[in-house]
Amino acid sequence: MALTKIPASLLDTTGGLDLQGNITLGDNEQIQLGDSGDLQIYHNGNNSIIQDNGDGHVQVLSGTFTVGNATLSKTSAVFNSGGSQDFYHNNQKKFETSSTGATVTGNLAVTGDLDITGNVNSASVTDLDVTDKTITLGAGQTEALSGGSGIIIDGSG
């Protein structure tokens, strides 16, 4: 049922609507904001939806913004203002940004090429498994650019 008349006693005459209680809407009934329903908030019977139909984009402004389940017993993501952006799997942090880059906790599976600029530093790595049996150093480079390519084994012998 559409609300067609609001009693004057409910209106804040200084320029707003002052409600003391809930706004209850049925499934698929929407809260619409903007001249053409640019922003819609509703529940369709299965999902709760925030839909932006305008020219811009939805902005969530917060010091720290956390995405999780309804009781926040499981965290999916934490966006810290001016700090790290953290992503979780089953409440365990797996990806975290920092001022120097990002850290992945666990395995990183890459489909396609992995292009690295800079050094690859590792500690306590016992195996380097190459499935196609080929390691190519300086591929596509001129001798002047790849002249230092090689494998150095530094140790006792």
Side-chain angles (χ1 to χ4, degrees):
M1 173 174 59
L3 181 61
T4 58
K5 184 176 181 183
I6 300 173
S9 62
L10 292 178
L11 295 177
D12 175 1
T13 57
T14 61
L17 178 63
D18 185 8
L19 297 175
Q20 303 296 316
N22 298 322
I23 297 174
T24 303
L25 302 173
D27 288 345
N28 294 308
E29 293 179 2
Q30 302 175 356
I31 296 173
Q32 294 188 2
L33 304 169
D35 291 339
S36 301
D38 296 328
L39 177 64
Q40 300 172 0
I41 302 171
Y42 62 99
H43 184 76
N44 69 6
N46 294 312
N47 300 299
S48 298
I49 299 167
I50 300 172
Q51 183 173 338
D52 177 28
N53 296 318
D55 293 333
H57 56 275
V58 175
Q59 296 181 13
V60 178
L61 308 176
S62 175
T64 297
F65 180 69
T66 301
V67 178
N69 66 350
T71 61
L72 202 54
S73 61
K74 298 279 186 178
T75 300
S76 298
V78 177
F79 304 95
N80 296 295
S81 177
S84 68
Q85 312 306 304
D86 309 327
F87 295 89
Y88 294 74
H89 177 267
N90 198 22
N91 232 24
Q92 300 293 315
K93 189 187 301 184
K94 296 297 178 181
F95 184 86
E96 175 181 7
T97 66
S98 69
S99 62
T100 58
T103 301
V104 174
T105 301
N107 295 330
L108 177 63
V110 177
T111 302
D113 294 341
L114 175 61
D115 297 322
I116 299 172
T117 302
N119 296 326
V120 176
N121 300 308
S122 61
S124 302
V125 175
T126 57
D127 294 314
L128 172 63
D129 297 324
V130 180
T131 57
D132 67 2
K133 311 269 189 289
T134 303
I135 297 175
T136 304
L137 305 172
Q141 299 291 320
T142 64
E143 178 63 29
L145 294 176
S146 65
S149 296
I151 295 177
I152 299 171
I153 300 173
D154 190 5
S156 62

